[in-house]
Amino acid sequence: MLVLPSLLDGWRRTPVAGIEQELDLARLSILIANLPLLYGVICVHIVVTAYSFSGVAPRALVYGLPLAFILFALVRAVHFMRLRRFIPVDGRVAHDMLRIVQFIAVGFGTLGTAWMVALYLYGDSALRSQLVFSVVITNMICSYILGQLPRVALTLAGISMPGFLLLLMLTGGPDAPVIAMNLGLVGLFLAYIVMVSARDFEKMVAAKLHAVELAEENRLLANTDSLTGLPNRREFFERLECAIREEGEQGALVMGVIDLDGFKPINDLYGHAIGDCVLRECAARLQIFASGGTTIARLGGDEFAIFTRGCFEESDILRLGEEVCAALRAPLRFADIHAGVSASIGFARYPQDAMDGHHLYERADYALYFGKQNHRGAAVLFSSEHESKMLLNARIEQALRKADFEQELTIRFQPLLHVATRRIVAFEALARWTSPDLGDVSPEDFIPVAESGELIHAITRAALRKALRAARNWPHDIKLSFNISIRDLVSQRALTQIMTLIEGSGFDPSRLDIEVTETALVADFERAAAAIAQLKRMGVNISLDDFGAGHSSLAYIHRLPLDMIKIDRSFVQEMHVNSIARDIVRSMIGLCANLNLDCVTEGVETQEQFDLLRGFGGTFVQGFLFCRPVPEDEVAGVIEQYRPGCAGQALSA
Ligand code: C2E
Ligand code: CA
Ligand code: CA
């Protein structure tokens, strides 16, 4: 039993082989542990026997041969004691060693038996009986010690016992046959015990083997992504940390976070079964990049990761990234469904960018986030610019945590105008934050940081409270447009607080437009849709903001009770130089008209852009051409400016 821990170690080190090999390994372990004791017993038997026959048998039989046997036994015992430190883990080696042991057992047993038979012939009846009993008892002890090794135990017993019992029968006194038969029966019973114990041992080894196999299976399951068969997040980070340790201070590696663009719409549109097919296909395409030094894993959802060992130039890393993106961009076909995704990938390097897996991931993920904002569908390597942005974000987060939003947050209002009548139909509330530590911080900087945690809810509530308070004094035909974050939308608690706030303000909900970004919908469509339905029930209007900036899908528009779509300003701003942007804006305006939805074109900065939009039949516009976002106390002036027949009207005409 003592040897079992080392036995299991052997199993852990070797891949699970056949049961026979495992049995041989287990037997050898026991043998190595017990053989020194066995040789000790044999030596005692030899000394006692030789001593008993001294003066009766020739000196060669009493001194010479016993000495040789004892020497041999000692050498073998020492050999096995040393082997304890190097137990073989290969089943075939164990098998060969067992054969050698068996061979030696046969030789040693035969020689020993011959020696004892020779002594027997010199003894009187008392000495002979003593020898026979000694042989039987030694055999019993040996069989007990070698219980799990029936071959060796039975070989040893088979060589000595029958011969001696026969000798006893033939040459002993009148009681000898009965005694020999009794001893024979004891021998047979012993053989039976050895066989039973060997069988139990085999069963135990098989059970342990099964347990090891199960443990291995569980380990694999726990570390593998069941959908794609790729290593999962846990396994990826384990391998990454291990690779970093192995690389040491002199080594290098690069890790990338891969995110699919356009996967969510496929999932929402065609269902999860097709979504799963897409993920499996993407995993198979990524698998091509896996090799000895490169690991590919699925971290979860549509996020994959890669790391590759070695020191790479920036150009090599970006080329690898481009290859990964190109592989994922190739069209996908499942039955009669044609789908397409693209991928963005952010890279970070060890040791330049971070010293451990967690921080490496953080930086690669930031590069990915940055890439998604600026170069969607491409590879981005973490840079010092990103590092400073991350530091700034950390400072913003610190300042946000202790901010008093009632004091520090103000609201600017930017008008939305009707194209044909040039009247103001609404004002969009845009948050401004003046931090005592950081000064004025742009919403493009602080909103994403707040959205990465719970802080956004407090900002939304403070901004909404202020915006509603200001809008109470506006003419009743002017609405308030208010941006809410996906985090507000998917948190039932935050949503309830927002709805309570609207109800408590006394502001007519039908005069309130809630703007939800398209990317927000893509992130968690089901929950966002449920939240939108709740808002709609209380009479609020819903606008889809930044339309076209994310992974647009007409399915979203169809499936949501939208009132208005706001075309992202990036298209408008490219319209006069880029005919594709122009066509896109024209089609989007046409699409809204067909769907009976109001349409706002954002970011109109020039008369030329406005003229084009008017030509396309756009209904509403918003932009610096008409008015920049203004403080609450200037709203009345702006309204006045755009009253029919005023100068502002003339500007946009
Ligand atoms: P948005 O919702 O798309 O808001 C419009 C942004 O475009 C505003 O930037 C506005 O100043 C700017 N803009 C308007 N006309 C023009 C133009 O002609 N040219 C250019 N270049 N820009 C124009 P702002 O105020 O910096 O806000 C940036 C973003 O921050 C907003 O984009 C919105 O996503 C977010 N944000 C602002 N306030 C809030 C808020 O209270 N809550 C939430 N959740 N997000 C907010
Ligand atoms: Ca907006
Ligand atoms: Ca917008």
Side-chain angles (χ1 to χ4, degrees), residues 427-600:
F427 279 92
E428 178 175 3
L430 295 159
R432 297 289 176 265
W433 177 42
T434 308
S435 152
D437 299 337
L438 305 171
D440 287 342
V441 187
S442 155
E444 287 189 318
D445 289 330
F446 77 81
I447 295 283
V449 175
E451 277 179 330
S452 64
E454 304 286 302
L455 285 162
I456 188 68
H457 304 319
I459 294 178
T460 303
R461 285 197 302 275
L464 182 60
R465 207 174 293 124
K466 286 172 185 254
L468 287 170
R469 206 184 300 140
R472 264 205 314 245
N473 306 320
W474 302 344
H476 285 254
D477 57 344
I478 295 185
K479 291 186 184 173
L480 168 69
S481 252
F482 187 82
N483 297 284
I484 73 166
S485 155
I486 176 68
R487 300 283 300 216
D488 299 318
L489 220 48
V490 298
S491 152
Q492 186 54 51
R493 193 158 162 261
L495 188 72
T496 309
Q497 285 174 336
I498 289 170
M499 295 192 335
T500 313
L501 216 156
I502 296 169
E503 277 165 359
S505 72
F507 192 80
D508 178 1
S510 68
R511 282 179 61 203
L512 182 62
D513 281 338
I514 293 285
E515 297 193 10
V516 183
T517 61
E518 187 200 18
T519 30
L521 293 185
V522 176
D524 195 340
F525 181 79
E526 297 303 333
R527 281 214 272 177
I532 286 172
Q534 286 189 56
L535 287 167
K536 275 298 282 189
R537 274 198 294 277
M538 68 179 295
V540 169
N541 306 296
I542 306 292
S543 303
L544 185 60
D545 201 2
D546 300 346
F547 184 61
H551 250 271
S552 322
S553 164
L554 292 180
Y556 293 128
I557 303 179
H558 274 299
R559 289 165 62 186
L560 290 172
L562 297 176
D563 299 284
M564 184 157 79
I565 284 181
K566 297 184 81 174
I567 300 175
D568 192 65
R569 64 175 187 267
S570 57
F571 296 102
V572 181
Q573 281 159 6
E574 287 205 8
M575 255 186 349
H576 58 290
V577 283
N578 183 342
S579 64
I580 298 177
R582 207 162 40 230
D583 291 343
I584 290 175
V585 174
R586 197 204 327 255
S587 335
M588 286 187 194
I589 291 174
L591 175 81
C592 292
N594 286 339
L595 293 171
N596 226 0
L597 291 172
D598 285 337
C599 173
V600 183

Side-chain angles (χ1 to χ4, degrees), residues 328-344:
L328 294 174
R329 237 185 339 254
L332 300 152
R333 269 190 75 173
F334 305 104
D336 53 347
I337 295 170
H338 294 245
V341 290
S342 61
S344 303

